[in-house]
Amino acid sequence: MTRRRIIIVDDHPLFRAALRQTLAGGDPSIAVEEAGDLSALSAALEADRECDLVLLDLNMPGVRGFSGLLLLRAQYQDVPVMIISAVEDPVVIRRSFELGAAGYLHKSVSPPEIRRAIETVLTGEVFVPEGIDLQSDDGHAALMQRLASLTPQQVRVLMMLSDGLMNKQIAYELSISEATVKAHVSAILQKLDVDSRTQAVIAASRIEEGQFGELLSAGASAAR
């Protein structure tokens, strides 16, 4: 019997445990693992690249907006990612799909609905929440495609630029040379079709207009 490997990525142990029980309880064909952050997820995937599905919370420590999804899709393109979040904002849901998510689930849905959604994605299809129109275009679809073309290191550099770090600081944080940072910045400007690092930061911030605050609010609610 072929076992399907699913990794739950969420910083709340109780939620991970409950979701794990929902998925694997009594089903020997599903092997469920847990990761409390992206570093733990990366370690698990580097140890074994064979993974059928990652269930990713958008709001976790060390993750800003959609940067976790961007990093994961850039680094492990063959691994399907389903977002499972406390956020119900249609714009957040649409952004997730534009950035490569294979599905989106709200944390409040019932166990049968969770299993149905995951089975849908495991068969190679996309699971879209009821009432969500993925065709709605608010003018950011092209930007989403450009952001999705960034490499993992370019995503990291862009997020650090957004935090106001200079090239020397980025080089130190990533253990690379300043020349390499400059090369990454140049590539980012080209891919995002902008002329300066300030414009690149503005472009990145557009995907967080409104919804980044929504993500933080949802994370605070889940922590209570």
Side-chain angles (χ1 to χ4, degrees):
M1 177 173 55
T2 301
R3 300 193 74 191
R4 295 177 292 184
R5 182 189 184 205
I6 298 174
I7 304 178
I8 302 168
V9 190
D10 193 289
D11 63 319
H12 294 97
L14 290 179
F15 176 77
R16 294 199 309 268
L19 183 56
R20 181 173 191 155
Q21 179 61 33
T22 295
L23 298 179
D27 188 345
S29 70
I30 297 180
V32 181
E33 300 174 23
E34 300 178 27
D37 54 33
L38 287 182
S39 296
L41 172 64
S42 294
L45 290 176
E46 288 302 319
D48 182 359
R49 291 284 185 123
E50 293 297 322
C51 180
D52 296 284
L53 180 63
V54 167
L55 297 173
L56 177 70
D57 187 8
L58 285 175
N59 188 72
M60 293 185 296
V63 175
R64 179 179 178 185
F66 296 92
S67 63
L69 177 59
L70 273 169
L71 279 168
L72 186 54
R73 295 301 301 133
Q75 193 160 359
Y76 306 102
Q77 297 180 8
D78 295 332
V79 178
V81 181
M82 173 179 276
I83 301 301
I84 184 158
S85 173
V87 178
E88 294 184 281
D89 184 348
V91 178
V92 173
I93 296 172
R94 195 160 57 245
R95 290 282 184 273
S96 297
F97 283 102
E98 289 170 346
L99 293 173
Y104 194 106
L105 269 177
H106 190 263
K107 287 186 174 182
S108 65
V109 300
S110 66
E113 178 70 2
I114 291 174
R115 287 191 287 266
R116 183 177 74 84
I118 288 174
E119 283 297 328
T120 298
V121 175
L122 287 174
T123 61
E125 299 181 32
V126 173
F127 181 83
V128 182
E130 187 175 348
I132 298 298
D133 180 10
L134 296 184
Q135 301 304 314
S136 297
D137 186 2
D138 55 9
H140 290 325
L143 173 59
M144 296 304 104
Q145 292 180 349
R146 293 196 290 269
L147 283 166
S149 72
L150 298 178
T151 67
Q153 196 76 315
Q154 288 165 2
V155 173
R156 296 184 186 98
V157 170
L158 179 58
M159 292 304 106
M160 290 181 179
L161 290 177
S162 299
D163 288 335
L165 272 63
M166 303 303 293
N167 287 355
K168 181 181 294 186
Q169 295 169 302
I170 295 173
Y172 175 80
E173 292 292 332
L174 297 179
S175 299
I176 57 179
S177 68
E178 283 191 64
T180 300
V181 173
K182 291 179 181 178
H184 282 312
V185 172
S186 296
I188 291 168
L189 299 185
Q190 183 175 9
K191 287 185 176 181
L192 297 187
D193 193 24
V194 295
D195 298 323
S196 69
R197 54 197 292 151
T198 299
Q199 290 177 342
V201 170
I202 292 172
S205 70
R206 286 177 183 162
I207 67 172
E208 297 172 356
E209 290 171 357
Q211 55 266 30
F212 187 49
E214 176 83 8
L215 290 172
L216 290 176
S217 298
S221 299
R224 286 198 291 267

